[in-house]
Amino acid sequence: ESISIIGVPMDFGQMLRGVDMGPAALRYTGLIPRLRRLGHDVKDEGDIPIPVRDDPAMEGMTDHYVKEITRISHDVYKIGCRVMDQGRMPVFLGGDHAIAIGSVASVAVKEPVGLIWVDAHADFNTPRTSPSGNIHGMPLAVLTGAGYPCLVDAGHPGTKISLDNVVMIGQRDLDPGEKKRIKSSGITIFTMRDIDEQGISAIAAQIMVQFACLKRFHLSLDMDALDPIEAPGVGTPVPGGISYREAHLLMELFADSGKLGSMDLVEINPILDVANKTSKLAVELILSALGKSIL
Ligand code: ARG
Ligand code: MN
Ligand code: MN
Ligand code: MN
């Protein structure tokens, strides 16, 4: 596989500092040489330039950086499109989950793609339903056409992904208005309860049935989907998450499907991490998704 690594050190989608260090942590953990050892042709596209953040003096006085995120989403979109045109597989390193507004838009230009959102959260808030106002709680809503118009129209105008082509996995922390939106949207969701009851492999099989008519899918992996015991370096940890083994199995099953066309790895905050544990796991999961197997 020809892979392009795209760093997006963007932290405007939420209030904590440090998530902009995610791409550096993943590189220091050896992501690129380890992908090459797996046999891939890997090109590091470097990091997208991000403006220096100027936090307002008083908390709660922010405009949630909508303008900054809109501009960055355009830049992510442009480089994603270029990499796709070259026939390479883009791997986007966040940064917070708002980077997916541009990344997913860029991979869905030429043909419809599936989108698998692995996350403790749904990121399906609109400005009306969001209690925090943080944009990283909104990218899935934006991509399916709801929320700030400038974000919905980032890259090119309009909805980027049809609700039928989206699957969420790992949710256990939803806001009240967000819950209502999920239910009325009819979107496919496998919460932690579903994982406990059905097992991760049965769920992966169902997803592949739903995506049978699609040639490829994009994986958007928020590291807070994992249990905080395994992935402590995230800004919004929620107990009761996906285990180390479940996560690896899910990645291996995605690799086996032969349809993984692009991915995001987001929400690693090295300042909150414990001895780089979260980045180490993230690199291992990327390797599993891209073909590393036990035997
Ligand atoms: N639902 C919460 C919010 O809207 C948390 C979102 C967390 N999102 C994330 N990408 N970690 O603020
Ligand atoms: Mn998320
Ligand atoms: Mn999350
Ligand atoms: Mn606000």
Side-chain angles (χ1 to χ4, degrees), residues 193-234:
R193 175 181 173 157
D194 296 309
I195 296 175
D196 288 341
E197 287 182 336
Q198 303 175 42
I200 208 86
S201 64
I203 288 171
Q206 285 176 66
I207 295 170
M208 293 315 146
V209 171
Q210 181 171 339
F211 288 175
C213 295
L214 299 168
K215 270 192 248 161
R216 56 192 171 84
F217 64 84
H218 177 92
L219 166 64
S220 203
L221 175 56
D222 183 329
M223 285 305 287
D224 69 31
L226 280 112
D227 196 281
I229 292 168
E230 308 296 349
V234 298

Side-chain angles (χ1 to χ4, degrees), residues 60 62-64 132-133 148:
T62 101
D63 61 354
H64 307 288
S132 68
Y148 291 109

